[in-house]
Amino acid sequence: MLRRNLRLRREYLYRKSLEGKERLLYEKKRKIKEALAEGKPIPTELRNEEAALRQEIDLEDDNTAVPKTHIDDEYAHATEKDPKILLTTSRNPSAPLVQFVKELKFVFPNAERINRGGQVISEIIESCRAHDYTDVILVHEHRGVPDGLVISHLPFGPTAYFGLFNVVTRHDIKNKKAIGTMPEAYPHLILNNFTTKLGERTATILKHLFPMPKPYTKRIITFANQSDDISFRHHIYEKHGGPKSVELKEIGPRFEMRLYQIKLGTVDQNEAQNEWVIRPYMNTTKKRKFIGDS
């Protein structure tokens, strides 16, 4: 099994290394297409390759016209089956952290929670691969307060590291008695203000934690980005009378997230390449936005 995983990882990294060459070839074919469509002469630097490029253009279809990326490989089959998530914590979790993870289990459909015990990360990831889990979520704490969330997509990554702050559990939200039990229907997902390239990448990681909901589901989960702080909110809605009379009820938990690293690999691979990581100098320009525009 270990050799097979190493082989699959090598194949994945090899496919990723081809992206630069495929992108260069795509740009050359694009220039040829534009020149032919506008009736302009072929660019001088491409005249020696014109015949070969035209032949490749003639053989293209909808699947091959645009080059694929490692992101396409990572989530190529994500919509073919519902996500299956494993939730766990750092070692020796406190009671507040255990309670928070229990609530997260209901936030993410098809999630299973396990006690970390003495298991190391590599053992957990290997077991999850063997049992067809799609993602592993690790929750960390500092002195009893949840302060970190790690989302690792299987089998090859990526892994996103988020800081957590302003965590409010469901039991601390007002009027929780009027809400009743936690609904388990697949929620509608709202992703607001993930407009940059990094924002789209972050939204891709988050949205694939949730399966496709049914149209009549009254449960809503929101990830709203504001100045690179992602607010997580969990509501249900009820209609009263007319179509414009809708009441939202927050059912929790509630917290803020801040992305600080994305790795091109799983959480157990220390040698995995960093796709993006926040640097201290990035905080010196307050108007600079990474995930959204406002």
Side-chain angles (χ1 to χ4, degrees), residues 25-270:
L25 180 61
Y26 169 75
E27 290 298 327
K28 290 180 179 179
K29 290 189 289 186
R30 183 182 61 80
K31 291 179 181 179
I32 293 287
K33 290 179 182 178
E34 289 181 356
L36 294 174
E38 298 174 3
K40 295 180 178 179
I42 302 298
T44 305
E45 68 273 12
L46 298 179
R47 288 177 182 174
N48 293 334
E49 304 177 67
E50 179 184 357
L53 291 172
R54 282 201 183 195
Q55 185 177 7
E56 290 200 18
I57 291 172
D58 292 337
L59 296 174
E60 285 180 349
D61 56 21
D62 293 338
N63 294 324
T64 59
V66 179
K68 301 294 184 181
T69 69
H70 64 279
I71 297 176
D72 298 316
D73 287 340
E74 290 164 351
Y75 293 101
H77 306 289
T79 58
E80 296 178 2
K81 60 180 181 179
D82 289 343
K84 184 180 177 183
I85 300 170
L86 183 76
L87 271 167
T88 189
T89 65
S90 52
R91 288 197 178 96
N92 301 318
S94 64
L97 182 63
V98 172
Q99 179 61 39
F100 179 60
V101 173
K102 286 181 179 179
E103 295 184 6
L104 287 181
K105 179 183 181 297
F106 292 100
V107 168
F108 300 104
N110 304 325
E112 297 181 18
R113 182 182 65 88
I114 66 167
N115 295 323
R116 172 76 176 272
Q119 295 186 81
V120 297
I121 294 297
S122 58
E123 293 175 350
I124 295 174
I125 296 298
E126 183 64 30
S127 177
C128 288
R129 285 198 183 102
H131 292 86
D132 293 326
Y133 283 87
T134 60
D135 297 89
V136 174
I137 298 179
L138 301 172
V139 187
H140 298 277
E141 66 178 338
H142 179 69
R143 295 184 177 180
V145 179
D147 70 339
L149 190 74
V150 181
I151 302 173
S152 187
H153 184 65
L154 300 179
F156 303 124
T159 299
Y161 297 79
F162 296 91
L164 292 183
F165 53 99
N166 297 338
V167 175
V168 180
T169 62
R170 179 171 182 264
H171 294 276
D172 293 328
I173 292 177
K174 296 179 180 179
N175 298 326
K176 68 179 180 62
K177 292 183 179 179
I179 297 170
T181 58
M182 177 81 81
E184 297 187 28
Y186 293 170
H188 293 291
L189 198 61
I190 298 175
L191 294 161
N192 183 53
N193 197 28
F194 292 84
T195 53
T196 66
K197 186 175 181 181
L198 177 62
E200 292 174 357
R201 176 64 155 159
T202 306
T204 298
I205 293 170
L206 294 174
K207 74 181 181 182
H208 282 103
L209 297 173
F210 299 89
M212 184 66 67
K214 295 183 178 179
Y216 52 79
T217 297
K218 296 182 178 181
R219 184 181 172 202
I220 303 171
I221 284 179
T222 304
F223 292 94
N225 173 53
Q226 181 67 33
S227 300
D228 294 336
D229 290 337
I230 303 170
S231 298
F232 173 89
R233 298 294 184 267
H234 188 191
H235 296 86
I236 58 172
Y237 71 89
E238 295 180 357
K239 293 182 179 180
H240 299 283
K244 295 184 179 180
S245 178
V246 176
E247 181 184 0
L248 276 179
K249 292 183 179 179
E250 186 176 3
I251 56 178
R254 175 201 311 162
F255 53 87
E256 316 297 324
M257 306 165 62
R258 184 173 297 159
L259 178 70
Y260 65 88
Q261 186 179 13
I262 298 179
K263 285 172 54 176
L264 293 176
T266 52
V267 67
D268 62 321
Q269 295 171 338
N270 296 325

